[in-house]
Amino acid sequence: MKRITNKVAAVALSATFAAVTGQAFAEDSAEPIVIPTHNWSSQVVMAYVIGGIFESIGNNVEYVPADSQAVYEAIRIGDVTISHEVWQSTFGASFYNAMAKGGIIDAGTHAASTLEEMGVPQYVIDDNLCPGLPNWEALKDCPEVFATADSDGKGRWLEGPQSWHGDLMPTRLEALGLGDLYTVKFAGGADAIWAELASAKTEGRGIITFNWTPNFTDAEGFVFIEFPPYEDGCRVADGGDGACGSPSGWLKKAANFKFPKTHPAAYTAFSKMSFTSQDIGQMAALVDIDGMSHQDAAVAWLAAHEDVWKPFVD
Ligand code: TMO
C-alpha cells in the first residue's frame, strides 16, 4: 500500500514538474530494482539504505541474497540490477571480467577508500605481543603468539569465508616463506571473526584476522599488517608470485547496462550516491555493536542522516 502511494505521488509530482518546465521526463519502470545482499554487515545495511532511497522516489525494490563474486556475472546478464560495494581488492577482478564480457557499467566511486587485509587489534601492538609489528617480517619471530588449539603448533591466520577471495591468503603465506610457521583457517562467516576478536581481547591473547576498513572496528582500533606493497600483477591470479599485500583501494558501484534506461531517476540517484568511511562504519556498527537487524539499522540510519542522502534524490 505504501509503495502504491509513493508511486502515485511520484507520478503526480513529475507531471506537475513537466507542466511547469514544459519538459517530459521518462518514467521509471515499475519493475523492481534487484539489490543483492552479501555476508558482511555494512553491505547488507547499505542494501536496505539504498532500497529505502529508491522507494522514497517511488521505485519498487527487491532484495536477493547473492554470492559476492558471482554477483558481477548476475548483474551483467540482468538477474541483479546493482552492486553498491565493489571492493577493489576482493572484487575488482570479477567486476572488470564481467565488464569485458559486456553488460555491466561503472556507476561511480564512493568517497571512502578501502583496505582489506590481515591485521591485529590495537592492544597487540600496544602490549608489544609481537615486537616489530605491523611490519610483516616480525611475524617470523612470534608464530606461537598466534597459535590456537586447532593450528597444529603454528600461528593461525583467521581468514574470512573462502567465498570472499579463495586461496589468496594461503598462497601469500607460502610466497612470503611463512608456510612452515603459520596456517590459514577460514571463518564460517564474519560473525565468527568478531566473536574470535572479542574472546581474544577478553583473554588478552594475540590474534591475526582478516578485516577491512571502513568497518565498525575502525572506532576501537585495528592495525593492518604491512606486507610488501601491492603492485598490479603481483598476485598469482594475475601472473605474479603472490608475495604482496592488498591494495589501498577504491569502493565502487556497478549496475546492469540497462538500468539508466529502465529507471532513469533511480539511476541518476544511484550515480550520485557516495558514502564516506564514517557512513559505512556507522552502518556496520548499528548491527555488529548495537545488535540491530540489518533492516532496522537501515531505517535508523536513513532517519538520522537525511542530510547525507536527500541530496542524492534532489
Ligand atoms: C569484502 N569485504 C569487505 C568483506 O572484505
Side-chain angles (χ1 to χ4, degrees):
M1 195 62 209
K2 181 158 158 280
R3 261 183 197 161
I4 292 167
T5 313
N6 282 348
K7 189 75 195 167
V8 169
V11 170
L13 200 70
S14 74
T16 310
F17 193 58
V20 170
T21 61
Q23 288 176 351
F25 287 91
E27 264 309 308
D28 277 16
S29 165
E31 285 296 307
I33 299 165
V34 182
I35 304 174
T37 57
H38 301 314
N39 52 359
W40 64 97
S41 298
S42 68
Q43 195 278 342
V44 186
V45 176
M46 199 191 294
Y48 294 116
V49 162
I50 291 175
I53 296 172
F54 287 156
E55 285 182 331
S56 81
I57 55 170
N59 287 110
N60 295 314
V61 299
E62 194 177 290
Y63 303 96
V64 289
D67 177 84
S68 57
Q69 292 289 354
V71 73
Y72 298 99
E73 179 66 11
I75 296 168
R76 190 184 79 77
I77 63 178
D79 290 347
V80 171
T81 314
I82 63 166
S83 170
H84 50 277
E85 280 195 15
V86 188
W87 294 68
Q88 179 178 353
S89 177
T90 301
F91 308 122
S94 294
F95 172 47
Y96 281 117
N97 281 342
M99 191 182 286
K101 290 200 225 164
I104 188 169
I105 57 175
D106 182 332
T109 306
H110 289 286
S113 61
T114 61
L115 181 62
E116 304 168 76
E117 188 57 281
M118 304 302 302
V120 298
Q122 183 67 48
Y123 68 82
V124 171
I125 304 294
D126 295 346
D127 298 347
N128 212 20
L129 297 187
C130 179
L133 283 183
N135 184 322
W136 74 273
E137 295 194 74
L139 295 173
K140 293 173 186 167
D141 299 323
C142 45
E144 69 285 351
V145 171
F146 303 105
T148 53
D150 62 348
S151 65
D152 305 323
K154 298 180 178 183
R156 179 192 62 174
W157 280 17
L158 183 59
E159 230 301 35
Q162 200 158 8
S163 63
W164 287 347
H165 31 239
D167 62 358
L168 181 74
M169 293 306 173
T171 306
R172 188 192 295 181
L173 263 186
E174 292 299 329
L176 291 171
L178 297 174
D180 293 340
L181 301 174
Y182 290 85
T183 183
V184 171
K185 297 283 172 188
F186 292 95
D191 284 348
I193 302 176
W194 315 142
E196 265 296 292
L197 280 172
S199 65
K201 185 183 176 188
T202 305
E203 296 162 24
R205 73 179 147 84
I207 181 169
I208 302 178
T209 68
F210 179 73
N211 194 358
W212 55 91
T213 182
N215 198 2
F216 75 92
T217 47
D218 295 338
E220 185 157 324
F222 188 87
V223 181
F224 293 99
I225 292 169
E226 293 165 5
F227 290 101
Y230 176 87
E231 284 164 27
D232 282 342
C234 71
R235 289 181 175 170
V236 172
D238 302 320
D241 66 3
C244 60
S246 303
S248 282
W250 39 250
L251 187 67
K252 280 187 181 292
K253 298 163 291 170
N256 177 263
F257 75 114
K258 292 181 183 161
F259 185 40
K261 199 76 179 155
T262 57
H263 301 77
Y267 181 76
T268 302
F270 186 55
S271 77
K272 292 180 187 173
M273 287 180 200
S274 169
F275 294 113
T276 63
S277 294
Q278 190 189 344
D279 298 329
I280 295 166
Q282 285 166 347
M283 292 179 203
L286 289 169
V287 173
D288 291 325
I289 295 180
D290 301 342
M292 297 176 86
S293 73
H294 298 101
Q295 286 94 331
D296 288 351
V299 169
W301 193 89
L302 285 167
H305 299 285
E306 290 197 352
D307 58 318
V308 174
W309 67 267
K310 286 274 183 179
F312 304 151
V313 293
D314 280 347

